[in-house]
């Protein structure tokens, strides 16, 4: 059955409770419902197909059945509220590591939540997106569900609306990639990173790794904010995990926003 190899490989780990379904609306929505009902830390839900997959800013996420690794992880983190956004960072770093280990492809990280790979002319093509959502009770975050859609084994020709902006792991590796092996590598790596994140110096170590993998630093970017857009040079990810943009000689920290990598002519 789907997931049997992964369940065996993850036995005894933080993410041993792995559930694999043929289809659902949204793995994030399903785990949020379980979390509100008191479900414990560490549940992972994988779907071969999502009929209502979501990305940031209420964007839809669609993929042919069985072509992608579509999954969400329920975490009840022992972190300060100001550090909860680092769960997305941890998932991104672990996913990049897993892609390299299993497929020989090293994606870079587009702040705040995408995995990208540059094509021959330097255009960043999206490989994966991450969406984190919280369960809040009594003004406190009780759980965080982190979902990911990772393109793994897509047809040779991508849909017209994605052909210029997306890519898939099998296109980059030159062969099909085992989704269960990829999931196991990701969850094993994530377990290590989360343990380190809860220990002294763990946040700093994660930010250093994120900076090293960043596809955004050094780029001219447009950041879409609720108050409008700003255009500047992405110069750092600070110790809190926020993007720092240089704008007219001023360093502006960006806590949340949608980032577009610009070319010189843009």
């Amino acid at each position: 059955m789907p997931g049997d190899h992964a369940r065996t490989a993850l036995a005894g780990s933080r993410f041993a409770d792995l559930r694999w379904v043929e289809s659902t609306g949204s793995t994030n929505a399903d785990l949020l419902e379980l979390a509100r009902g008191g479900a414990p830390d560490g549940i992972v839900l994988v779907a071969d197909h999502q009929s209502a997959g979501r990305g940031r800013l209420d964007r839809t996420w669609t993929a042919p059945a069985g072509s992608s690794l579509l999954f969400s992880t329920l975490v009840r983190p022992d972190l300060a509220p100001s550090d909860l956004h680092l769960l997305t960072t941890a998932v991104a770093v672990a996913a990049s590591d897993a892609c390299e280990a299993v497929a020989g492809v090293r994606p870079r990280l587009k702040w705040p939540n995408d995995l990208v790979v540059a094509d021959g002319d330097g255009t960043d093509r999206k490989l994966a997106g991450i969406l984190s959502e919280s369960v809040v009770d009594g003004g406190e975050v009780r759980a965080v569900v982190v979902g990911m859609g990772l393109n793994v084994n897509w047809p040779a020709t991508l849909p017209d609306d994605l052909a210029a902006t997306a890519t898939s792991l099998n296109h980059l590796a030159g062969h099909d990639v085992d989704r269960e092996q990829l999931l196991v590598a990701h969850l094993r790596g994530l377990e290590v990173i989360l343990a380190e994140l809860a220990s002294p110096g763990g946040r700093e170590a994660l930010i250093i790794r994120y900076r090293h993998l960043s596809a955004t630093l050094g780029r001219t970017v447009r950041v879409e904010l609720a108050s409008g857009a700003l255009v500047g040079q992405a110069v750092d990810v600070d110790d809190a995990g926020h993007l720092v943009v240089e704008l007219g000689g001023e360093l502006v920290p960006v806590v949340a926003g949608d980032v577009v990598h610009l070319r010189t002519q843009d």
Side-chain angles (χ1 to χ4, degrees):
M1 291 185 62
D4 282 350
H5 163 75
R7 276 186 285 271
T8 299
L10 294 167
S13 75
R14 179 173 183 169
F15 301 114
D17 189 350
L18 173 64
R19 308 174 186 189
W20 197 302
V21 299
E22 181 178 343
S23 180
T24 190
S26 161
T27 56
N28 258 35
D30 292 348
L31 280 195
L32 286 168
E33 183 176 356
L34 289 177
R36 294 186 187 103
D41 172 275
I43 298 174
V44 180
L45 177 62
V46 186
D48 286 328
H49 176 69
Q50 290 186 121
S51 60
R54 293 170 292 128
R56 289 185 70 248
L57 306 179
D58 290 325
R59 297 186 179 109
T60 58
W61 181 277
T62 58
S67 67
S68 300
L69 189 53
L70 308 172
F71 69 102
S72 298
T73 305
L74 193 165
V75 181
R76 295 192 181 273
D78 183 19
L79 295 172
S82 59
D83 284 343
L84 289 174
H85 66 284
L86 294 177
L87 292 173
T88 298
T89 307
V91 167
V93 170
S96 179
D97 287 348
C99 289
E100 182 177 47
V102 174
V105 174
R106 172 60 90 175
R108 301 187 71 81
L109 309 179
K110 177 177 175 286
W111 194 92
N113 69 327
D114 288 343
L115 275 68
V116 299
V117 177
D119 65 14
D121 66 0
T123 299
D124 287 322
R125 292 181 177 270
K126 185 172 179 176
L127 181 67
I130 302 168
L131 176 66
S132 296
E133 298 179 280
S134 300
V135 174
V136 180
D137 183 25
E140 295 186 9
V141 176
R142 303 296 184 183
V144 179
V145 171
V146 188
M148 174 180 284
L150 173 59
N151 302 335
V152 181
N153 293 319
W154 278 61
T157 301
L158 294 177
D160 290 343
D161 59 333
L162 298 177
T165 59
T167 189
S168 180
L169 208 52
N170 61 322
H171 295 183
L172 300 165
H175 55 79
D176 281 356
V177 177
D178 189 302
R179 289 185 299 155
E180 291 195 41
Q181 289 183 10
L182 189 63
L183 179 66
V184 169
H186 169 73
L187 293 174
R188 284 175 172 166
L190 180 61
E191 182 173 19
V192 171
I193 293 173
L194 292 181
E196 293 173 345
L197 187 57
S199 65
R203 180 176 69 176
E204 292 77 7
L206 177 61
I207 295 300
I208 288 171
R209 290 212 61 206
Y210 187 88
R211 289 182 184 125
H212 177 70
L213 291 170
S214 176
T216 300
L217 294 184
R219 303 284 292 270
T220 300
V221 297
R222 183 175 69 249
V223 186
E224 305 287 352
L225 305 171
S227 57
L230 64 86
V231 176
Q233 188 86 0
V235 295
D236 196 12
V237 173
D238 66 20
D239 291 342
H242 304 144
L243 184 67
V244 179
V245 177
E246 183 178 3
L247 181 64
E250 179 184 1
L251 297 180
V252 179
V254 178
V255 176
D258 202 35
V259 171
V260 179
H261 292 170
L262 300 179
R263 293 174 176 271
T264 304
Q265 63 268 29
D266 295 330

